[in-house]
């Protein structure tokens, strides 16, 4: 496979299904015979297990793609606090994330893989350091952006703001995936799909329904 794919998976907010989409996408790509690397450069809200901070999302991503990369590469920065990375570091009295170190870890993972999926902590505008966010990181690493829109009230506006931030940094948006956050669909959640398809200035990749597998068409549009 000649072309290498590098993606940032970001979302319209917290709890919108980024990790669900990331794991499903990674698993589907691996099933196609691709070597898939994953990264969650910063994970907040980590629980302490046996004296170490355990990054649940990073572990899930690694498991989904069968990654044997050390956790220090996959998730170099972990914090107990659930705040944005820069704030979590301050509250936890730990060193803030270092973009150069994240880039080094990314380089090591990328060297061995056809596809690398990097997941943001929160929205694309979440501050990683006092003067950089995940859009800056994506620009630095040359990542295309996949926007996971949590299918709830306000998600279309939040998607538009995410795309605007990508445009301001000159990032390519690979597309949007609508992810059902709740099992029951309402008239509003059905309307969100039509709105995204109509007004989002980025490809609409498809919809991930509650507890259903990722549609094959979504994977095929990306790769």
């Amino acid at each position: 496979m000649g072309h290498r794919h590098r993606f940032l998976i970001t979302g319209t907010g917290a709890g919108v299904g980024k990790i669900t989409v990331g794991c499903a996408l990674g698993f589907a790509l691996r099933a196609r015979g691709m070597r898939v690397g994953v990264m969650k450069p910063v994970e907040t809200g980590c629980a302490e297990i046996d004296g170490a901070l355990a990054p649940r999302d990073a572990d899930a991503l690694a498991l989904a793609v069968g990654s044997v990369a050390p956790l220090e590469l996959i998730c170099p920065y972990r914090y107990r606090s659930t705040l944005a990375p820069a704030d979590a570091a301050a509250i936890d009295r730990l060193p803030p994330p270092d973009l150069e170190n994240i880039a080094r870890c990314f380089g090591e993972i990328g060297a061995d893989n056809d596809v690398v999926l990097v997941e943001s902590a929160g929205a694309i505008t979440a501050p990683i350091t006092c003067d950089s966010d995940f859009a800056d990181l994506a620009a630095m690493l040359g990542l295309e952006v996949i926007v996971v829109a949590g299918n709830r009230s306000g998600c279309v506006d939040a998607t538009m703001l995410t795309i605007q931030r990508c445009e301001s940094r000159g990032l390519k948006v690979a597309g949007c995936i609508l992810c059902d956050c709740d099992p029951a669909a309402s008239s509003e959640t059905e309307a969100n799909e039509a709105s995204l398809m109509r007004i989002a200035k980025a490809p609409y990749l498809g919809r991930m329904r509650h507890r259903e597998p990722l549609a094959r068409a979504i994977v095929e549009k990306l790769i």
Side-chain angles (χ1 to χ4, degrees), residues 89-162:
I91 293 285
D92 290 359
R93 296 184 176 175
L94 289 169
D98 179 313
L99 295 189
E100 295 295 335
N101 185 48
I102 291 172
R104 185 189 61 78
C105 294
F106 174 80
E108 285 195 42
I109 291 170
D112 299 327
N113 290 289
D114 304 313
V115 182
V116 182
L117 303 175
V118 179
E119 190 186 308
S120 70
I124 201 161
T125 52
I128 303 177
T129 64
C130 60
D131 56 3
S132 63
D133 63 11
F134 281 95
D136 296 315
L137 181 67
M140 183 179 176
L141 301 180
L143 308 177
E144 291 184 44
V145 181
I146 298 169
V147 182
V148 179
N151 194 2
R152 52 169 76 126
S153 180
C155 79
V156 176
D157 286 345
T159 302
M160 304 304 278
L161 289 170
T162 303

Side-chain angles (χ1 to χ4, degrees), residues 183-204:
S186 67
S187 56
E188 182 177 28
T189 58
E190 292 306 314
N192 282 339
E193 184 168 36
S195 297
L196 270 183
M197 291 170 80
R198 192 175 70 248
I199 64 175
K201 290 190 289 182
Y204 179 70

Side-chain angles (χ1 to χ4, degrees), residues 26-66:
F27 185 82
L29 294 169
R30 189 183 176 214
R32 283 166 165 72
M34 293 181 186
R35 297 171 305 162
V36 185
V38 291
M39 239 192 131
K40 175 112 183 180
V42 188
E43 184 154 344
T44 57
C46 296
E48 192 169 316
I49 299 173
D50 299 330
L53 291 174
R56 195 172 56 189
D57 288 356
D59 278 334
L61 285 166
L63 195 63
V65 301

